[in-house]
Amino acid sequence: MDNKTNFDKEQVIVVTIKDKNFQYSVAEVISLVENLHAEVIMTITMHRDAFNNATYLGKGKIEEVSQVRKEFNVETIVINDNISPLQKQALEEELKCKVLDRTEIILAIFASRASSKEAQLQVELAQLQYLYPRLTRMWSHLSRQKGGIGMKGVGETQLEIDKRMIKKKVARLKDELKKVKDNRFLQRKKRMQSNTPVVSLVGYTNAGKSTMFNYFKGKEAFAKDQLFATLDTITKKVSYENAEFYIVDTVGFINNLPHFLVESFKATLEEVMLSDVLLHIVDASSKQLTQQIRAVYEVLHELGIDEKPMITVYNKIDLVKEKEILPENGIHVSLKTGENLDLLVKEILEKIKK
Ligand SMILES: Nc1nc2c(ncn2[C@@H]2O[C@H](COP(=O)(O)OP(=O)(O)O)[C@@H](O)[C@H]2O)c(=O)[nH]1
Ligand SMILES: [Mg+2]
């Protein structure tokens, strides 16, 4: 049932280095790609010593990827790493298809999620900075393939501008950003006029936020007021026992986020800043559990929202053998088996009443 092919979705092949964090890193990149409504149909691993400086992938690997890609008719290869513009170009020539690296995937997600003016500017700035050295290639792709993942974004209307103009644009964006930041409080004020509580899902990529979001599908209520105009895919109004609330999915925290993307990432969390209750979804089976929880707290603190009512949800307990090592300060659930989800809903209803 699960391997039914979905023809609406763009299909990609992921190539990833086999190191000690390999399992987590594959799960994460799959989650990231799914965020773009694309589908990973295969993961190909490579050993770090097979790395080639010019083409990133060694000769044998290029051959392998090339074959598989043709066999499955896939037009996009995702490299689960950051590669240089030259490597990207060389690889695309070898593979004769679109190649995206990890940062480009993340950028594309942020672009698809940026709802406010500030977030859009922030993402466009990051896009210009990262894509700038890659633009010539990207443009030729665009004219050939007309879009697809990694190609859509805030900056996509800027196709005609040349590199010289991009420099100017970066300067202008920075300027605009400064002004927009000063207007932030206006948005918050607007939000306060709606009195339906907002519950936001936060936590690391792959923790189960989107699965949780979908869990509320059957409970959807008619929403005449849209919370975030462009983001209906990540916001829904649900009703329970005479209580209504919005639930908002978020991009989520990403391991080793490139530094220049931190501001964009925070900008995508603006929905969270406007929410009344945070559901912190933790992957209870993660080996980096403590570090991940701490990293989430740190960012919430930086955004000044660590005081909001929060429910910590340890998800995936079906995968945890020694449950007693989990912290006791939260609700232990499994979205897979449904365990304790009733308790969680009860807790949410309780929190939004306050
Ligand atoms: N075993 C197990 N897997 C889960 C559970 N909840 C979610 N998953 C899986 O974890 C992966 C990531 O889930 P997703 O909702 O996309 O995470 P997100 O990145 O936080 O939105 C998916 O493959 C889910 O099927 C759970 O309770 N148990
Ligand atoms: Mg998700």
Side-chain angles (χ1 to χ4, degrees):
M1 190 185 81
D2 270 354
N3 51 20
K4 195 173 62 190
T5 312
N6 186 340
F7 288 104
D8 293 340
K9 286 188 175 175
E10 182 170 352
Q11 303 191 321
V12 311
I13 293 171
V14 166
V15 183
T16 192
I17 288 179
K18 191 151 194 176
D19 56 14
K20 65 179 195 314
N21 291 325
F22 156 73
Q23 260 178 335
Y24 181 85
S25 134
V26 168
E28 186 189 61
V29 72
I30 291 175
S31 249
L32 291 173
V33 169
E34 282 172 356
N35 255 300
L36 292 170
H37 306 290
E39 181 185 12
V40 176
I41 63 152
M42 188 180 298
T43 309
I44 295 177
T45 57
M46 86 180 233
H47 287 279
R48 199 173 279 281
D49 47 11
F51 168 81
N52 177 301
N53 202 24
T55 50
Y56 184 84
L57 302 179
K59 237 191 162 74
K61 219 21 94 174
I62 289 182
E63 201 101 306
E64 181 186 342
V65 174
S66 200
Q67 250 178 28
V68 175
R69 148 186 133 58
K70 279 186 205 138
E71 192 176 326
F72 290 89
N73 208 8
V74 168
E75 291 299 328
T76 309
I77 306 294
V78 173
I79 305 291
N80 188 22
D81 198 354
N82 295 326
I83 62 176
S84 77
L86 282 176
Q87 287 171 337
K88 177 181 159 103
Q89 188 172 337
L91 255 184
E92 290 187 328
E93 265 155 31
E94 293 279 352
L95 296 170
K96 299 182 182 57
C97 72
K98 180 167 79 182
V99 171
L100 297 171
D101 73 355
R102 192 169 176 272
T103 296
E104 286 173 293
I105 293 288
I106 296 170
L107 265 171
I109 296 173
F110 289 176
S112 70
R113 292 291 178 93
S115 64
S116 72
K117 188 72 190 160
E118 182 185 348
Q120 284 167 2
L121 290 172
Q122 202 79 65
V123 171
E124 192 168 353
L125 189 62
Q127 276 185 323
L128 284 177
Q129 285 168 339
Y130 194 73
L131 303 181
Y132 171 47
R134 298 154 199 260
L135 280 175
T136 347
R137 281 302 291 174
M138 190 174 93
W139 291 357
S140 61
H141 274 307
L142 273 163
S143 49
R144 218 170 59 215
Q145 299 184 319
K146 296 203 191 89
I149 64 165
M151 299 293 141
K152 289 196 187 87
V154 181
E156 102 185 292
T157 52
Q158 312 299 332
L159 294 180
E160 318 81 63
I161 56 178
D162 64 21
K163 291 183 177 181
R164 190 174 40 85
M165 289 180 73
I166 287 175
K167 273 199 178 140
K168 274 194 196 160
K169 192 163 172 63
V170 166
R172 215 192 60 223
L173 280 175
K174 284 186 172 162
D175 230 42
E176 251 184 273
L177 253 174
K178 235 186 260 158
K179 285 181 210 146
V180 172
K181 275 195 170 151
D182 298 338
N183 278 326
R184 235 188 213 169
F185 74 100
L186 285 177
Q187 297 170 9
R188 257 176 255 179
K189 214 168 142 196
K190 207 169 129 203
R191 149 78 190 106
M192 272 151 43
Q193 288 160 359
S194 158
N195 42 27
T196 308
V198 179
V199 178
S200 285
L201 297 160
V202 297
Y204 263 80
T205 291
N206 201 47
K209 295 181 303 299
S210 300
T211 312
M212 176 70 80
F213 183 74
N214 289 330
Y215 167 76
F216 289 103
K217 227 174 209 142
K219 290 290 176 183
E220 235 166 315
F222 174 69
K224 56 183 186 305
D225 48 337
Q226 273 211 335
L227 190 55
F228 306 104
T230 54
L231 299 176
D232 49 337
T233 54
I234 56 159
T235 311
K236 67 178 112 184
K237 197 178 199 175
V238 296
S239 78
Y240 263 102
E241 304 163 14
N242 303 326
E244 282 191 330
F245 59 91
Y246 279 107
I247 186 125
V248 180
D249 195 6
T250 67
V251 172
F253 289 63
I254 298 164
N255 273 305
N256 308 320
L257 186 71
H259 189 74
F260 81 101
L261 282 180
V262 171
E263 286 307 311
S264 308
F265 167 64
K266 287 187 192 161
T268 67
L269 285 175
E270 62 204 355
E271 300 93 338
V272 178
M273 299 179 73
L274 303 177
S275 61
D276 302 281
V277 174
L278 305 180
L279 276 195
H280 179 191
I281 314 289
V282 179
D283 178 351
S285 70
S286 163
K287 289 195 186 82
Q288 292 124 325
L289 182 106
T290 329
Q291 297 99 298
Q292 292 187 336
I293 292 175
R294 202 178 310 131
V296 171
Y297 285 163
E298 260 167 40
V299 171
L300 295 180
H301 180 74
E302 275 174 54
L303 293 171
I305 49 178
D306 50 341
E307 303 279 296
K308 279 189 196 293
M310 174 154 84
I311 304 169
T312 307
V313 183
Y314 294 94
N315 183 35
K316 306 196 189 182
I317 50 160
D318 55 288
L319 297 177
V320 181
K321 288 195 189 78
E322 303 163 74
K323 298 197 178 28
E324 56 282 358
I325 61 167
L326 292 177
E328 279 172 20
N329 66 333
I331 304 186
H332 299 177
V333 309
S334 166
L335 281 160
K336 192 173 180 181
T337 66
E339 191 175 346
N340 289 342
L341 290 175
D342 49 341
L343 285 182
L344 174 64
V345 169
K346 222 167 129 190
E347 180 80 17
I348 295 174
L349 295 176
E350 201 103 317
K351 275 266 192 317
I352 60 171
K353 256 191 246 149
K354 284 175 193 161

